[in-house]
Structure formats: C-alpha cells, structure tokens
Amino acid sequence: MPLLVIAGPGRTMGSRGRGLVLGCCLLLAFASGPVLGRVPRDQQGLQEQEGTEEPPPLEDHAERDEKYSPHQELPTPRCFRCCDPGAPLYQAIPAPQINITILKGEKGDRGDRGLQGKYGKTGLAGARGHVGPKGQKGSIGAPGDRCKNHYAAFSVGRKKPLHSNDYYQTVVFDTEFVNLYGHFNMFTGKFYCYVPGIYFFSLNVHTWNQKETYLHIMRNGEEAVILYAQVSDRSIMQSQSLMLALQEQDEVWVRLFKGERENAVFSDEFDTYITFSGYLVKHHAEP
C-alpha cells in the first residue's frame, strides 16, 4: 500500500502547509480507517485480558494543531511489511464479478451430423401380441396338374394243369383275385406296365409226381428268374419271387419251358394251385 510522507526531518511548514497536511490526514483517515482499525492477532489476546477498558479519547483538530506547532518537528512515518510481526491486517479486496449474460453472443449455425454410434445389446423378446383379425378369403388358385395313377397291383390264379410240348408256352390264368385298373391282361397272360417304378412279383406252383417243373418269369422276352423242381416221388409247393424296375410299356409274364423233358405243373378244378401276383412298390418320380 503506498505511504504518504508528511514531512522530512529538519523542515518546517507555514499555515498553508499545515492546512494541506490536515486535509491529507483527513483523507487518509477516511480511506484507511476500517483497515487500520483491525487489531493484529498478537494484540487480540492482550485486549481480551484487559477486559472492557475504555479507549483514550480522540484528539480534536485544535489540540492536534497546538501539539504540532510550526516550530515543532513532525514524527517520521513508519512503513510496515506484510511479513513483519505485528503488521496491521488489511481487508482483502474482493475479485470483480463479471456478468456473463451480457457477454452471450448470437446463436451459431448447426454443426455437421456426427458418426453413427455402435449398436447396443439386443434386448429381451417382448410379450406375444394379440391375435389379429381373420383375413379375407383369397382368390382361386391356378389348376393343378392332372392326377396320375401311382398304384398298380394284380393277383391271378390257374385251376387247370399244364404240360409241356415242343415249344414254349405262356401260362394263362383263369382266376382273377385282384386286377387294379386292368393292368394284367387275362387273355394274353401278361402284365403291362402303365406306371413306371419298382415292382414286386411272386410265383407259386405245385409240382407233379415223377415229372420235372421248369418255368421262368419273363420281362420283355428275356428270362428274369427260374422256378425249378426236380423229379420226385411226391408233389410239393414251389415258389419264386423278385423285384423289377419297370418302365412304361414293359411286359412281365410266366413261361413254361418246352418239352425236351417231361415238364408239367399240377392243379385241379376244385383248388387253385398256381398263382401269380405283383404290385407297385415305389413310383419312379418319388424322391
């Protein structure tokens, strides 16, 4: 804090000088009165011990003028430093406060769109909603493909015995048990394939005493399997079965071997001893 030098040693002042000094003293007392009025920390305890002693009365201006006469030298002013012990405490000057509302500018332009953030974790599945109203009836669809016959089966029998001769004979059957869609021709004794696929066939005959039994299941003029029984003193039932993959218009039938040997199959008009059966197992278009 700047100090006011009142007078240097060895100098005297006139009446004008005394008036100037008096005005400066009054100004200094008004300005630094609250600061100088504070008591240092080391002197606060002393005042508390003294109790409520009354302070000495202040000197008025007339006494001050008589005390400091023109012919009397003024005391030398004393300077204090903040680090000196017993230095008077000065009131801290508060920092100035700035009202930022008066400094607020105009609203700026909108910035560019930022980058998309990372996707969050998948939440739990929500509750099932209510069933919606029934929709309207749709239009009629396009016509489907024509239905194809995927079934084929037959089972026939013969009640008359058969003997061999000088040429091959096709066994013709006279009893019809099953003939689905008429695929087995009873006049020719042959099965005609109208539904391509895999078929199962079975042939059962009764042998003749002291005669040989020699037949074949034929496919398109070729021998597929043989049914054979040697000459014996007694007759027995003999059978043969197989599966064939047939194409459309294939033919399957039973053929009796020609008469190089005594060859025959037995039957009578009361019972059926000879049977020939077959049926479709799987259509060729099925997976």
Side-chain angles (χ1 to χ4, degrees):
M1 181 177 182
L3 302 176
L4 178 62
V5 179
I6 299 175
R11 292 185 182 181
T12 59
M13 295 180 293
S15 61
R16 184 179 180 182
R18 288 196 303 269
L20 181 60
V21 171
L22 181 60
C24 291
C25 290
L26 292 175
L27 181 61
L28 180 61
F30 179 79
S32 61
V35 178
L36 296 177
R38 300 183 62 178
V39 181
R41 295 179 180 178
D42 56 347
Q43 296 181 5
Q44 289 180 1
L46 182 59
Q47 290 182 1
E48 292 176 358
Q49 295 176 2
E50 291 177 357
T52 58
E53 295 181 358
E54 295 182 0
L58 298 177
E59 297 178 354
D60 55 358
H61 299 292
E63 293 177 355
R64 188 176 300 176
D65 292 342
E66 293 177 359
K67 185 176 180 181
Y68 297 97
S69 61
H71 302 285
Q72 188 178 0
E73 294 180 357
L74 297 175
T76 304
R78 183 180 178 186
C79 298
F80 292 96
R81 293 181 298 179
C82 61
C83 59
D84 292 339
L89 298 177
Y90 302 101
Q91 184 178 5
I93 301 175
Q97 301 294 330
I98 302 176
N99 188 3
I100 62 174
T101 59
I102 63 175
L103 302 178
K104 185 177 180 181
E106 297 179 357
K107 185 177 180 180
D109 298 335
R110 185 173 181 178
D112 297 335
R113 183 182 180 89
L115 299 177
Q116 183 178 0
K118 297 181 179 180
Y119 290 100
K121 296 182 179 179
T122 304
L124 300 176
R128 184 181 181 89
H130 300 289
V131 179
K134 185 177 180 180
Q136 299 179 356
K137 186 177 181 180
S139 57
I140 300 176
D145 297 334
R146 184 178 179 181
C147 294
K148 294 182 179 180
N149 186 2
H150 291 172
Y151 299 96
F154 72 93
S155 181
V156 292
R158 180 183 175 94
K159 293 184 177 182
K160 296 179 180 181
L162 184 62
H163 293 269
S164 63
N165 51 30
D166 296 336
Y167 54 90
Y168 297 110
Q169 298 182 64
T170 300
V171 179
V172 178
F173 298 88
D174 51 25
T175 304
E176 182 180 86
F177 299 108
V178 174
N179 190 7
L180 191 61
Y181 308 117
H183 292 177
F184 188 89
N185 192 324
M186 298 295 292
F187 297 98
T188 61
K190 295 182 178 181
F191 170 76
Y192 297 92
C193 177
Y194 295 99
V195 183
I198 298 175
Y199 284 80
F200 175 82
F201 295 96
S202 174
L203 175 63
N204 295 275
V205 298
H206 192 279
T207 62
W208 204 306
N209 295 343
Q210 303 298 326
K211 293 184 179 180
E212 189 179 42
T213 303
Y214 194 2
L215 299 101
H216 286 93
I217 297 179
M218 308 292 294
R219 178 179 64 176
N220 298 333
E222 296 181 358
E223 300 170 352
V225 292
I226 186 175
L227 187 152
Y228 179 76
Q230 293 180 348
V231 177
S232 176
D233 294 336
R234 59 188 183 91
S235 61
I236 59 173
M237 293 295 298
Q238 196 80 357
S239 66
Q240 179 64 284
S241 61
L242 79 162
M243 297 181 69
L244 295 174
L246 302 182
Q247 301 296 326
E248 193 171 354
Q249 300 302 324
D250 283 350
E251 300 176 2
V252 179
W253 72 94
V254 179
R255 187 191 69 178
L256 182 66
F257 200 77
K258 59 184 178 179
E260 296 178 357
R261 304 174 183 176
E262 188 67 25
N263 184 18
V265 290
F266 174 81
S267 188
D268 59 33
E269 297 181 357
F270 302 99
D271 295 309
T272 304
Y273 289 89
I274 305 171
T275 60
F276 181 43
S277 303
Y279 59 89
L280 175 67
V281 176
K282 179 180 177 298
H283 188 264
H284 80 100
E286 295 180 2

